[in-house]
Amino acid sequence: MAASVDSVETGRLPAPRPGPVPWVAMYHSVGDCSDDPYRITVTPERLGRQLAWLRRRGLRGVSVAELLAARARGEGRGLVGLTFDDGYTDFLTGALPLLRRFGCGATLFVLPGRLGGDNAWDPLGPRKPLLTADGIRRAAAEGVEIGSHGLTHVDLTRADDATLTAEVAESRARLTELTGAPVDGFCYPYGTVDARAVEAVRKAGYAYACAIDPGPLTGPHALPRAHVGQNDTAWRLHLKLRLHRLRRRPVEGV
């Protein structure tokens, strides 16, 4: 459609419409899901079938940084983001071999304040060990993008100013030192986000941040994601992909 007369006369062109909503899948643990009250675990077998489903549809999983860079070049068609929250040790044994097998990339959001610890923030279910510094470096060496999930996995919408700064800015500084590489991505613990948290993440220098359903806050620092779990068969994934694109807001600037 041509620009309006007013736009031409004033020398201003309308801002381009944002493209289709990027599809970013949210995973957590990859291992035994027999005791999984929060539905955060998929078995390696299920993950393999889900990655095979992507391939059959002509889609390829990549890190969020690669997805956004490709979209900025107009080359994002056929790419979906794969994210793994919390930094469980089973990422190395359960997820990484399958990502290699299917030629996929991923973003791993870790907690530098809990290196070698466990998921103490979950009162129910089994204790799941978290990656050590060496484990994070190993993932990075395999081409996995490392992002911050905060220092210790606290709800940023309830954090005081000092805690918010530490969880956002200090976690980025620690991971940059640990990996020797820039840390561009952040992931809001629990998926909860408000304008104050978004501003803190932007101010800390992150290029993007992931949430779950940020509503009006949707943007490069509050990207929507779709939870993927053990029960997500090919048919359910198909529905989730369609619903995500229909229900999520367009992302300005992405």
Side-chain angles (χ1 to χ4, degrees):
M1 181 182 295
S4 68
V5 174
D6 288 343
S7 296
V8 173
E9 289 178 349
T10 59
R12 295 193 305 269
L13 293 177
R17 291 184 177 183
V21 179
W23 199 64
V24 181
M26 177 181 65
Y27 289 93
H28 289 78
S29 174
V30 183
D32 178 12
C33 64
S34 58
D35 184 7
D36 188 32
Y38 298 103
R39 298 185 301 113
I40 63 168
T41 309
V42 297
T43 62
E45 293 76 17
R46 177 63 74 189
L47 176 61
R49 289 195 286 271
Q50 291 166 346
L51 296 180
W53 175 83
L54 289 177
R55 174 180 285 182
R56 290 195 303 272
R57 291 184 61 87
L59 302 172
R60 183 169 67 90
V62 296
S63 70
V64 179
E66 183 176 346
L67 174 65
L68 298 183
R71 286 173 66 93
R73 299 190 302 269
E75 301 171 358
R77 186 177 180 85
L79 300 180
V80 299
L82 298 180
T83 62
F84 293 80
D85 292 7
D86 302 335
Y88 295 105
T89 58
D90 59 27
F91 176 83
L92 297 179
T93 55
L96 193 54
L98 288 166
L99 294 172
R100 285 201 212 102
R101 174 182 167 189
F102 287 94
C104 293
T107 300
L108 178 64
F109 292 113
V110 300
L111 298 155
R114 292 188 183 271
L115 298 177
D118 60 31
N119 58 328
W121 60 89
D122 287 333
L124 304 177
R127 297 277 67 85
K128 288 178 173 286
L130 303 176
L131 290 167
T132 63
D134 285 343
I136 292 171
R137 281 191 284 262
R138 178 182 163 191
E142 293 283 348
V144 175
E145 181 193 12
I146 303 299
S148 171
H149 201 27
L151 271 181
T152 59
H153 203 286
V154 302
D155 183 344
L156 298 185
T157 65
R158 300 182 179 183
D160 60 33
D161 290 346
T163 301
L164 179 60
T165 298
E167 291 288 329
V168 173
E170 186 177 338
S171 66
R172 184 170 190 247
R174 288 197 197 182
L175 286 176
T176 298
E177 182 178 3
L178 189 157
T179 63
V183 175
D184 291 329
F186 187 84
C187 176
Y188 299 97
Y190 305 104
T192 55
V193 60
D194 59 14
R196 176 169 162 266
V198 170
E199 180 57 28
V201 167
R202 185 184 294 112
K203 185 178 179 181
Y206 293 95
Y208 73 86
C210 290
I212 298 177
D213 184 7
L217 293 173
T218 293
H221 290 90
L223 295 170
R225 293 185 296 169
H227 167 75
V228 179
Q230 180 65 13
N231 294 328
D232 287 320
T233 59
W235 176 240
R236 283 172 58 96
L237 284 175
H238 173 74
L239 287 177
K240 284 191 172 185
L241 177 59
R242 286 183 61 85
L243 288 173
H244 180 82
R245 289 173 172 168
L246 287 171
R247 292 178 175 176
R248 301 305 191 203
R249 292 169 176 265
V251 184
E252 297 286 348
V254 171

